[in-house]
Amino acid sequence: GAVVSQHPSRVICKSGTSVKIECRSLDFQATTMFWYRQFPKQSLMLMATSNEGSKATYEQGVEKDKFLINHASLTLSTLTVTSAHPEDSSFYICSAEKGQSQAGELFFGEGSRLTVL
Amino acid sequence: GESVGLHLPTLSVQEGDNSIINCAYSNSASDYFIWYKQESGKGPQFIIDIRSNMDKRQGQRVTVLLNKTVKHLSLQIAATQPGDSAVYFCAENRSGTYKYIFGTGTRLKVLA
């Protein structure tokens, strides 16, 4: 199966700082990556769709200036939480698709737990 | 962002029994569905998928049933084991997009 690596797995930061989370597809090229946010005991909430070489598509209600997404290569997408506040504390998960002609299996990273103090 | 439901229902099953986890999906245009298993603090793991041109698909100890008429998906786990304890999510893909929407999720507890 395909492997998606996410880093860091845990991060604690002070309020007002920015945090960058990386998502890498290790053994395949991912033309499309997705970023999800998950609160405790809740489902995954799609934040944005990241396409290589173009701007991310954000879901309604997700602030694009708050959650900066960059997909500079076919194997790397980054999510930067800018000026983080305690309410941004959450579990962030990325996923990647192999870019087939039709939708196929999503491969997920292990998630990054962000705690903002 | 889109998400379906807020709080996780729980299904408790005796070890060795069969489990049935249900999911109602939202869009009749969705044509690809995946079941994921998520253990605490980890990312979702693929279990099984099904496309809308099928009603049933079987894997190892798992079966997915799709009822397009009522927009319902189910995951059956045979001979449930303690290692099956996790949260299970269904995800739907809307035809013509690469966008996946996740269901509410169900926590499966396997009782010894």
Side-chain angles (χ1 to χ4, degrees):
Chain A
V3 178
V4 174
S5 174
Q6 204 171 326
H7 177 80
S9 58
R10 291 179 179 271
V11 56
I12 300 173
C13 70
K14 292 182 179 180
S15 186
T17 61
S18 295
V19 174
K20 180 185 283 189
I21 300 169
E22 292 186 348
C23 179
R24 293 180 185 274
S25 55
L26 297 185
D27 52 0
F28 68 100
Q29 294 184 328
T31 55
T32 305
M33 289 185 171
F34 303 88
W35 286 96
Y36 292 85
R37 183 174 182 176
Q38 187 178 33
F39 292 105
K41 299 185 180 180
Q42 293 190 24
S43 187
L44 283 73
M45 182 185 75
L46 180 63
M47 298 174 66
T49 302
S50 170
N51 294 298
E52 187 267 336
S54 63
K55 290 184 179 180
T57 303
Y58 290 82
E59 293 300 301
Q60 190 174 7
V62 179
E63 298 175 61
K64 61 180 181 181
D65 296 328
K66 174 75 171 175
F67 299 100
L68 300 179
I69 292 172
N70 183 278
H71 194 158
S73 77
L74 287 171
T75 59
L76 174 64
S77 176
T78 60
L79 168 68
T80 301
V81 182
T82 63
S83 187
H85 290 284
E87 58 266 29
D88 298 324
S89 298
S90 190
F91 194 51
Y92 293 88
I93 312 172
C94 73
S95 67
E97 195 176 29
K98 286 186 175 180
Q100 304 157 73
S101 57
Q102 61 178 342
E105 182 184 343
L106 277 183
F107 301 94
F108 281 87
E110 283 299 302
S112 299
R113 184 163 301 284
L114 170 64
T115 302
V116 185
L117 303 176
Chain B
E2 294 189 53
S3 178
V4 179
L6 288 179
H7 300 288
L8 295 173
T10 299
L11 173 67
S12 296
V13 175
Q14 205 68 35
E15 182 179 355
D17 288 351
N18 296 334
S19 303
I20 300 177
I21 300 171
N22 296 303
C23 177
Y25 62 93
S26 58
N27 194 317
S28 57
S30 295
D31 63 357
Y32 178 61
F33 306 87
I34 308 176
W35 277 101
Y36 284 96
K37 173 185 180 183
Q38 187 180 28
E39 297 176 340
S40 181
K42 296 185 177 180
Q45 295 173 274
F46 174 91
I47 300 175
I48 192 168
D49 61 356
I50 189 168
R51 297 200 181 271
S52 59
N53 60 351
M54 301 175 71
D55 297 321
K56 178 179 178 179
R57 190 154 188 242
Q58 288 185 291
Q60 189 177 17
R61 274 202 313 122
V62 294
T63 300
V64 55
L65 298 177
L66 174 62
N67 186 328
K68 295 179 287 293
T69 303
V70 295
K71 294 189 287 187
H72 184 267
L73 200 63
S74 69
L75 176 70
Q76 300 178 3
I77 304 173
T80 312
Q81 302 169 359
D84 295 328
S85 293
V87 177
Y88 290 81
F89 294 99
C90 66
E92 62 179 295
N93 174 260
R94 302 188 176 175
S95 181
T97 77
Y98 287 101
K99 186 172 174 176
Y100 293 77
I101 302 301
F102 280 74
T104 308
T106 298
R107 180 177 301 280
L108 177 65
K109 285 187 177 179
V110 182
L111 308 173

